[in-house]
Amino acid sequence: MKKLIATGLLAFTASSGMFGGHAARAADVEDRLVRSRAVEAVIWSMPAISIREFVQASFKDYGATWNDVILWSKPALPRHEFLTANNQVPYMLTAINLRGGPVVVEIPAAGEKAVLFGSFVDNWQAPIVDVGPSGEDEGKGGKYLFLPPGYSEPTPEGYISVRMQGYMVAGGLRPVPANGGTAQDAHAYAQQVKVYPLADAAAPKPTRFIDGYPKPFHSLPVYDSSWFRELAAFVNDEPVRERDKVMIGMLSSIGIERGRPFEPDAKLQRELDSAIADARSLMENYFVTPGRALTPWWPDSQWNAFSPDALKKANGFTYETNDALWLDARAGGLFYWATFASKKLGAGTFYLMGLRDSAGKLLDGRSTYRLRVPAEVPAREFWSAIVYDADTKAFVCGGPCEHADNAVGLSSFNKPDMKQNADGSVDIYFAPTAPAGFEKNWVTTAGKNFFLIFRLYGPEKPFFDRSWKLPDVERVQ
């Protein structure tokens, strides 16, 4: 009996040690799981948090509120911190909250001297509807009626109805001069836009316009612990979609649950701080790795556009297909570096991404580079070449961004002032300092690593059939 008892105690002791080992191992695995799920949460939520912070910046920096329109009186400067913005045409932005019911946005018909291009996106930054000549109104103008989730009331006639799955809607538009029109013509034309609740349609109040040009704008995503506070607020503010239920369930591992306050303890906070840095590194790697999101537009070219596989996964930039919700492609492939994708790619504008020089090396802010733009570019409206800070994905600041007013790009609008070659082509230089005699052809890099976007507004057939080609950027010093 004593022997049996001793054997039993020995077995129990060994068993207890075994259970203790499992507990220690499980605790370690759980810590790593928290870190992993926090990284995934950032990548998953990238487009939602980016557009949420964009809208909140308009409220904080400009004193705007829902249904106001922020209309820049002049093109943006480095103090206006957008992801990969254009500095050649002023922007107009509006944000709508559908919790109070349907909201109407009136888009004017294309004018003789100006037109509107742009898109409205949902709370996940998926483009829902384009407006203007390349949009649903086809340049004829129209009343877009945005309907909240689950709206079942009859909709009145004469509207372009747009059913939403979330409450927040954001519009990013560009009034573009046309037919010899001026920037002033485009600015006046843009003020014909109206935003108001459907309930006020019989007698809508005048839309409030705010000039975004004089003040700085801080709309860039912030990669620190505030990300998770914003994510917790988003989860509580917006409806949960069927596709996101698994991720919503896993968020409880990092302290985020619907209906509960987000209060991370010190240990969890350390994991979240580390996870946000890891997530950003992963998205950056996805962005710069050839062939993942971008592929050469021409054979043996360093100018890139979305690859066929990337466009298939993008599926109208919703990134939701019959097979999957493509989180990495949605984050690192687009919304990590851009906002307000259009629903119809290439209808109004086309972007060429330049991350490398002709030798295939990433662009270095300390070197001098040259881009030769041919005399003829197949763009009905205009073309532009703009420099972006590789770190922020915003304009390069030639000094403190709050006050920087350096040129960040050049376009066909600037061509008359630039030194031109005998064949009508122009050489644009990207460097810390201007090459002698080419001051008007120069865009500063301020010594910062950078990338380029070459835009064609109104791209034409020679671009799409590849019979026209843009030379690679060459390192000259």
Side-chain angles (χ1 to χ4, degrees), residues 9-165:
L9 287 172
L10 181 62
F12 178 78
T13 301
S15 177
S16 297
M18 180 181 67
F19 288 148
H22 278 305
R25 182 184 180 88
D28 178 62
V29 171
E30 187 168 334
D31 287 344
R32 286 185 279 129
L33 180 65
V34 167
R35 172 84 162 274
S36 176
R37 287 186 173 175
V39 170
E40 294 290 357
V42 174
I43 294 172
W44 167 71
S45 64
M46 177 73 242
I49 301 306
S50 178
I51 197 65
R52 182 182 176 90
E53 291 188 355
F54 192 99
V55 169
Q56 290 182 346
S58 70
F59 295 170
K60 182 172 61 176
D61 292 341
Y62 295 133
T65 189
W66 304 110
N67 299 350
D68 287 346
V69 175
I70 303 172
L71 174 60
W72 270 251
S73 57
K74 297 179 183 179
L77 293 172
R79 66 169 176 260
H80 305 120
E81 297 175 310
F82 298 85
L83 289 176
T84 56
N86 190 313
N87 78 321
Q88 302 299 330
V89 179
Y91 280 91
M92 58 188 306
L93 310 169
T94 189
I96 298 166
N97 189 338
L98 299 177
R99 285 189 176 276
V103 173
V104 179
V105 178
E106 289 191 26
I107 300 295
E112 291 183 4
K113 296 184 177 181
V115 295
L116 275 177
F117 291 101
S119 304
F120 282 83
V121 303
D122 68 7
N123 59 345
W124 278 97
Q125 214 177 148
I128 301 302
V129 66
D130 294 340
V131 303
S134 59
E136 292 296 316
D137 63 277
E138 299 180 337
K140 300 173 184 176
K143 297 179 180 180
Y144 290 79
L145 179 60
F146 293 92
L147 303 172
Y151 188 79
S152 59
E153 298 294 323
T155 55
E157 295 183 0
Y159 292 87
I160 300 171
S161 295
V162 185
R163 294 189 175 275
M164 305 299 296
Q165 295 186 62

